[in-house]
Amino acid sequence: MIIPGFLISFLTFPGVIIHELAHQIFCILCGLQVYEVKYFQFKNPCGYVVHQSSDRPFKIFLTSTGPFLVNTLLGMLILLPASIELLTFKEYSNPLNLLLGWLGISILMHAFPSTGDAKVMVKRILKNPEVSLLWRILSAPVIGLIYLFSIGSVFWLDLAYALGAGMLIPYLLARIF
């Protein structure tokens, strides 16, 4: 079943907000001026950050991929109480854990950078002859994964990632330890 992207973004709006906030935070950490931020809106794109550009590959990489780190860690942390309840086979009825479950899944579903972020990395890192070969080699697979997950979101790959990161990883860690 195909559900329009804007409807998914509406239902998972906390993830969009955290995603854009992460872009903004990494811009600030990299010393890039932020001109405009839209944390959430009811049109495409659902959120964005307009900021100063950079020719430094490290800054470009961080500002483009920062949401992956922030959304993944925050989403997993928020989802942890609900994961523990499931892992201990308790009845899943605590309203707070249901809320945390929705919030964590919402945030994790928006962890991956957008194709717009990938295009910036292609233009400013891969196609920039002044960027070292090492940065191109490091960036290329990340860019490929961004495009892969963008295509895969049609097949709910973003939800599969959210469930895997938020539920499967804690389950596996609990089994190991």
Side-chain angles (χ1 to χ4, degrees):
M1 173 168 59
I2 296 178
I3 300 174
F6 75 89
L7 183 58
I8 293 170
S9 293
F10 174 71
L11 294 173
T12 60
F13 73 91
V16 176
I17 293 168
I18 298 299
H19 181 101
E20 300 309 332
L21 181 61
H23 276 306
Q24 184 179 18
I25 289 168
F26 276 90
C27 285
I28 292 166
L29 290 174
C30 290
L32 301 176
Q33 187 174 357
V34 175
Y35 303 120
E36 183 181 359
V37 178
K38 183 66 77 169
Y39 294 110
F40 186 78
Q41 63 183 359
F42 290 105
K43 58 183 178 179
N44 193 10
C46 292
Y48 59 86
V49 176
V50 179
H51 59 85
Q52 177 184 13
S53 63
S54 175
D55 289 330
R56 302 197 52 151
F58 183 66
K59 290 182 179 185
I60 297 163
F61 189 85
L62 282 180
T63 56
S64 296
T65 61
F68 180 76
L69 177 68
V70 171
N71 282 51
T72 297
L73 293 177
L74 185 60
M76 288 175 70
L77 184 64
I78 289 171
L79 195 54
L80 191 59
S83 298
I84 290 170
E85 188 173 27
L86 275 178
L87 291 174
T88 56
F89 301 104
K90 293 182 180 176
E91 186 176 321
Y92 204 71
S93 60
N94 182 339
L96 179 59
N97 281 347
L98 292 174
L99 176 66
L100 291 174
W102 165 74
L103 190 58
I105 294 293
S106 297
I107 291 170
L108 283 163
M109 283 183 69
H110 292 278
F112 276 84
S114 67
T115 55
D117 297 320
K119 288 176 185 175
V120 168
M121 290 173 62
V122 167
K123 179 181 177 185
R124 299 203 169 267
I125 296 175
L126 288 186
K127 291 187 175 181
N128 185 346
E130 296 178 18
V131 171
S132 73
L133 181 61
L134 177 63
W135 270 110
R136 292 185 206 176
I137 291 170
L138 291 173
S139 299
V142 173
I143 294 166
L145 283 173
I146 293 170
Y147 281 112
L148 178 68
F149 265 80
S150 176
I151 294 166
S153 69
V154 174
F155 304 105
W156 296 93
L157 191 55
D158 45 2
L159 178 61
Y161 173 78
L163 293 173
M167 304 297 262
L168 183 61
I169 291 174
Y171 172 77
L172 294 174
L173 289 174
R175 302 268 305 174
I176 292 170
F177 300 109

